[in-house]
Amino acid sequence: MSEPNPPRRPLATFLRPHAGSQADTDATPLAEPSAPPASAAPDIEDSPADAAPEPVAEPVAIAGEVPSQVEPTMSEPVRAAASGTPRAQAEPVFLRGGGHRLRTPRWQWAIVAALSLLLLLQIALADRARLAAEASTRPWVAGLCSVLRCDLPAWREPAAFSMISRDVRPVPQQAGALQVQASIRNDAQWAQDWPVLRLSLSDADGRVIGSGVFDASDYLGAGAETAGLLEPGQSAQIAFQVREPAASTVAFNFEFL
């Protein structure tokens, strides 16, 4: 007995697409976007969306100075805590008083000036002999000694003595003895001691045949100790005897030492 033929399915059922059918898998996918050209900017790796942004250090502005390297700002307590040193020890001693500058009292400056002046006076008194020998410093040293009642060495300038007159004669009834008489004057600005005198004897050819050095005791005699000083412009007479070394003496030369 033959089986009955199954019912025929409509043609529309073959043309209707089914989900998950082979037609879906065989369908041509859509074209993907092409890769960027080689000249495009390099890819930047995206950071995770949940990653927190890193803190950015702010530069510290200093008046009148351009920082060469930017460092993150840090407050003073945090800096002291990071270094392990308390703030009271990290600051200098003169800054702990609130920034007030200590002013030196005026009476202390007066004491310093007085001590400096006293030191200069002591130096001048100790070195007054050398200072009095200089024409530029002698006036104020002389004024200082006049106030403080100190002794000042006499001025010494042999070149300031001048010979006003001179006379050399043989001593009567004394063979070979010569009597020397002269008049001298002090042309210096200050009073001087009596000078040391050198007398040279020469012959007719100009050769020195004898010389002698005479100080105040030689040409003033016993009055040399009480003669005092020759004041500026003062003149005086001197006299002494010398022995003639040879009969050919014709010239005499005087020199102040």
Side-chain angles (χ1 to χ4, degrees), residues 153-156 161 186 190-196 216 219 228-230:
W155 178 253
R156 177 174 174 77
F161 286 104
N186 178 25
W190 297 283
Q192 297 195 74
D193 280 328
W194 292 78
V196 177
Y219 55 75
L229 301 177
L230 280 174

Side-chain angles (χ1 to χ4, degrees), residues 88-178:
Q89 298 180 2
E91 293 181 349
V93 177
F94 61 86
L95 292 180
R96 298 178 188 175
H100 299 287
R101 295 184 59 185
L102 298 178
R103 296 183 178 180
T104 305
R106 294 183 178 179
W107 62 268
Q108 294 186 3
W109 290 112
I111 292 178
V112 171
L115 292 177
S116 301
L117 181 59
L118 181 60
L119 178 60
L120 292 177
L121 290 177
Q122 291 179 350
I123 294 175
L125 290 177
D127 202 20
R128 65 181 182 275
R130 184 184 63 84
L131 296 175
E134 300 291 337
S136 59
T137 56
R138 185 177 179 86
W140 67 268
V141 175
L144 179 64
C145 284
S146 64
V147 174
L148 300 180
R149 305 292 182 180
C150 59
D151 296 331
L152 190 65
W155 178 253
R156 177 174 174 77
E157 188 179 359
F161 286 104
S162 59
M163 183 73 66
I164 301 176
S165 63
R166 60 183 180 177
D167 185 19
V168 180
R169 296 180 181 182
V171 179
Q173 300 178 356
Q174 292 185 10
L178 299 175

Side-chain angles (χ1 to χ4, degrees), residues 8 31 39-40 48 50 55 59 74 86 93 97 107 113 126 139 154 170 177 184 194 200 203 208 213 218 234 251:
R8 297 182 177 182
S39 60
D50 56 348
M74 183 180 296
V93 177
W107 62 268
I184 61 175
W194 292 78
S200 301
D203 59 7
V208 177
V213 177
D218 295 326
Q234 181 182 356

Side-chain angles (χ1 to χ4, degrees), residues 161-169 179-187 194-195 197-199 219 234-240 252-256:
F161 286 104
S162 59
M163 183 73 66
I164 301 176
S165 63
R166 60 183 180 177
D167 185 19
V168 180
R169 296 180 181 182
Q179 179 71 24
V180 179
Q181 294 182 349
S183 178
I184 61 175
R185 183 179 61 199
N186 178 25
D187 294 333
W194 292 78
L197 183 63
R198 175 184 291 173
L199 174 61
Y219 55 75
Q234 181 182 356
S235 59
Q237 297 288 332
I238 61 175
F240 57 95
F252 306 91
N253 183 34
F254 293 89
E255 182 182 2
F256 296 101

Side-chain angles (χ1 to χ4, degrees), residues 34-43:
S34 61
S39 60
D43 296 336

Side-chain angles (χ1 to χ4, degrees), residues 5-11 13-14:
N5 293 329
R8 297 182 177 182
R9 300 175 60 181
L11 181 59
T13 59
F14 293 96

